[in-house]
Amino acid sequence: MEVSVLNINGQETGRKVTLNESIFGIEPNDHVLYLDVKQYLANQRQGTAKSKERSEINGSTRKLGRQKGGGGARRGDIKSPVLVGGGRVFGPQPRDYRFKLNKKVKELARKSALSYKAQENSIVVVEDFNIEAPKTKDFVNIAKNLKVDGKKTLVLLPEVNKNVYLSARNLKGVEVLTASQLNSYKVLNADVLVISENSLKTIDGVLAK
């Protein structure tokens, strides 16, 4: 699949790049995409939810009523789970939600996500660019020129570029990553991918093995 390379003014440079078929042209695997996105979201969870059990509640241990003959359920002290203010039964406890995925599964998931974007014609390839000083206005102009303004946009750069990152940071729906940080969730969550030329080389180096 060939894609025209644009400059930051949205004009064609006359050059074209061929997207690697083994990355952008495979039959997407929905199940591995589900697993990879599930793992990414699970890894974001803090796992700090905690409720107090009966033994952790402060209160008297005096038995409140008779064992039998009261007409209701038997209960012990004021910390009983059947009473308001008592301990909670089987409540949440701090835990780690992370789980393991094989490296090849994650690679297939990223290829599947990129292939979906290629099928949707949602990939814009732009020549490598830089912003001289952090200015949101400059990045907005670039987005307008590339006709991606107002869309959830993922910008992939070959390496960390502080000025581009700071210029896009305040824009809703825009995220800037290096190509090596690429993950399935970010790709699927975006409406359009803006990929610099050298980022394609990085993606090929990571996924075309």
Side-chain angles (χ1 to χ4, degrees):
M1 178 180 177
E2 286 192 341
V3 180
S4 298
V5 179
L6 307 180
N7 58 27
I8 57 174
N9 296 318
Q11 302 166 338
E12 292 193 10
T13 61
R15 302 194 311 278
K16 290 189 176 184
V17 292
T18 302
L19 299 181
N20 193 326
E21 284 294 318
S22 66
I23 297 174
F24 296 89
I26 70 167
E27 181 66 30
N29 187 316
D30 290 338
H31 183 62
V32 297
L33 276 173
Y34 159 75
L35 291 175
D36 199 23
V37 170
K38 181 181 178 181
Q39 187 200 42
Y40 176 83
L41 294 176
N43 290 349
Q44 309 309 304
R45 299 185 68 173
Q46 289 183 321
T48 54
K50 170 75 169 68
S51 65
K52 289 187 177 182
E53 296 181 344
R54 184 172 188 156
S55 62
E56 299 170 311
I57 299 289
N58 288 327
S60 171
T61 57
R62 178 177 65 89
K63 187 170 174 64
L64 298 177
R66 300 173 56 187
Q67 177 77 355
K68 293 186 177 182
R74 55 194 172 178
R75 60 176 186 254
D77 55 41
I78 201 168
K79 299 187 285 184
S80 171
V82 301
L83 296 177
V84 175
R88 184 172 174 186
V89 180
F90 304 129
Q93 298 295 321
R95 54 167 289 194
D96 185 358
Y97 287 91
R98 292 177 295 182
F99 62 93
K100 181 182 180 298
L101 269 187
N102 290 334
K103 185 177 179 180
K104 287 186 178 180
V105 172
K106 294 175 71 68
E107 286 182 358
L108 179 58
R110 280 178 285 177
K111 290 179 182 179
S112 297
L114 291 170
S115 294
Y116 267 128
K117 291 303 176 187
Q119 291 174 9
E120 298 165 1
N121 293 320
S122 299
I123 295 177
V124 176
V125 178
V126 62
E127 64 181 3
D128 294 327
F129 67 96
N130 186 28
I131 296 178
E132 293 183 1
K135 282 189 178 180
T136 303
K137 184 178 180 180
D138 290 347
F139 192 91
V140 169
N141 289 334
I142 293 174
K144 287 181 179 178
N145 293 337
L146 297 176
K147 298 180 181 178
V148 297
D149 54 313
K151 298 179 181 179
K152 293 176 75 172
T153 307
L154 177 62
V155 181
L156 295 178
L157 302 177
E159 57 189 17
V160 176
N161 188 314
K162 189 175 181 181
N163 287 346
V164 175
Y165 170 75
L166 293 176
S167 299
R169 183 173 59 176
N170 291 334
L171 295 174
K172 183 179 179 181
V174 177
E175 189 160 7
V176 177
L177 295 176
T178 62
S180 59
Q181 295 173 316
L182 184 70
N183 67 73
S184 304
Y185 176 81
K186 299 291 187 182
V187 173
L188 294 176
N189 192 44
D191 294 328
V192 61
L193 302 184
V194 176
I195 308 177
S196 68
E197 277 189 277
N198 280 331
S199 294
L200 287 173
K201 297 177 183 177
T202 303
I203 293 172
D204 282 353
V206 173
L207 297 179
K209 295 179 181 178

